[in-house]
Amino acid sequence: MDKIDSLFLEALRAALRNTSVDWTGERKISQEDWPALFQMADRHHVLPMIYEAVYSCPAAASANPAMMASFRQHMLAKVVMQDMRTEEALRLLSFLEGKGLHPLVVKGLVCRNIYPRPDYRISGDEDIWICQEEFPACHKAMLEFGMEPADSRKDPGQADEVPYSRKGSPIYIELHKSLFPVDSRAYGDLNRFFEHAGERAIRVSARGCQAPGSAQAENSIATLGFTDHLFYLICHAFKHFLHSGFGIRQVCDIVLFANTYGREIDWDYVLASCRAIRAQKFAASVFRIGEKYLTFDPAAACCMGVWSRIPVDESKMLADLLDAGVFGDGSMSRRHSSTITLEAVAAQKEGRRASRGLVKTVFPSARDLEGRFPYLKDRPWLLPAAWTQRISQYRRETKKAANNSAAEAVEIGNKRVELLREYGIID
């Protein structure tokens, strides 16, 4: 772990405690360190939290005023936009429920309310889960509210996940008919754990966390039960880990959720479910990182010994997630490396040997490309056209980003396959 990584984690822990760091002089942080720290925070979508934790420390007084002002302005803009997105999302949820629908909120709105400063927990979209039977009526209600499908290439009736935006508003909604893409060979089977989760749904306060049953309906949002939601947060981070990585904000979500609702969580079920998907070492590493570097408290979470009994070295995962950025978007090469890692996991589940190297990265199967090119689902014979389109897009991305090449993507992918082996996800 380098100096910036260490400073970043120290500031983030202070933010989660709603306190400030006490850095003094350049022996702790130099003029050159400040931009690197804030850029890392921005890459992990925690810039408001990091800025709030550091701006009043003695060392910040000697930082470049113009640089501090620039990041402050950037941070405040993010907070204002987040507040607007939150208010709009709550209005939308109230509207949908007024139509007799049963949307369940996952991640963003629920997690945001357990942070010391909710609007400092930034997310570009809000996730809503609706049952398949209610989707047509929900889609109609979304249009009535002024929302429009954000991706014209997708048929809303066929897609597992439909994104919506609204003209003149920062709101962006991802409406899920299933919590994970059902066609994914690597993790589509995770949906089996949530088949009856809707029957265990609860309501929590729309502003600040509350115990189950204590939220008034008009001031609350419907969401997964606490055990289901924690396991979903783990599965969601796990899904991104299988792709190209996940970031520290997802660790923060899991840590704060466990600390806040630990008494309501069936930890034996969570552990057994993690074992069932070969994610017990993954989860143990997440909680170990949370305990060492953030604010995870096993006693407060009522899970003493659950994760500490699993022998695991969390340092490699920490290095990977710090490099990954919020959703594994640290570099274009890293993003493209997901072809290799997902193939390795799918091969493990299907009892075959994984394809490796450049050919698989450049020429994936039709099934692997259906998410990006939906026409392949009904017309798989157009796969060569999809390859051509994908290569063309890849070339355009390569020209825009210096940290992007097919060879580097293969190198990163192969290294991350070894990381999956390290944590027992594949053999």
Side-chain angles (χ1 to χ4, degrees), residues 208-225:
C209 58
Q210 290 187 0
S214 64
Q216 297 298 318
E218 64 269 21
N219 297 313
S220 64
I221 52 179
T223 186
L224 300 174

Side-chain angles (χ1 to χ4, degrees), residues 52-118:
E52 184 69 22
V54 305
Y55 84 95
S56 62
C57 75
S62 60
N64 184 302
M67 181 273 300
M68 294 294 286
S70 175
F71 278 107
R72 181 177 185 275
Q73 184 177 11
H74 186 41
M75 177 271 279
L76 290 175
K78 286 179 175 292
V79 172
V80 170
M81 291 292 283
Q82 183 59 63
D83 184 63
M84 293 171 62
R85 283 193 292 265
T86 297
E87 291 297 332
E88 193 82 344
L90 292 175
R91 288 203 311 113
L92 171 62
L93 288 165
S94 178
F95 180 81
L96 295 178
E97 291 188 340
K99 294 289 185 178
L101 299 167
H102 303 86
L104 295 182
V105 180
V106 293
K107 297 187 302 177
L109 280 172
V110 177
C111 291
R112 185 169 301 115
N113 286 335
I114 56 179
Y115 279 73
R117 295 172 179 261

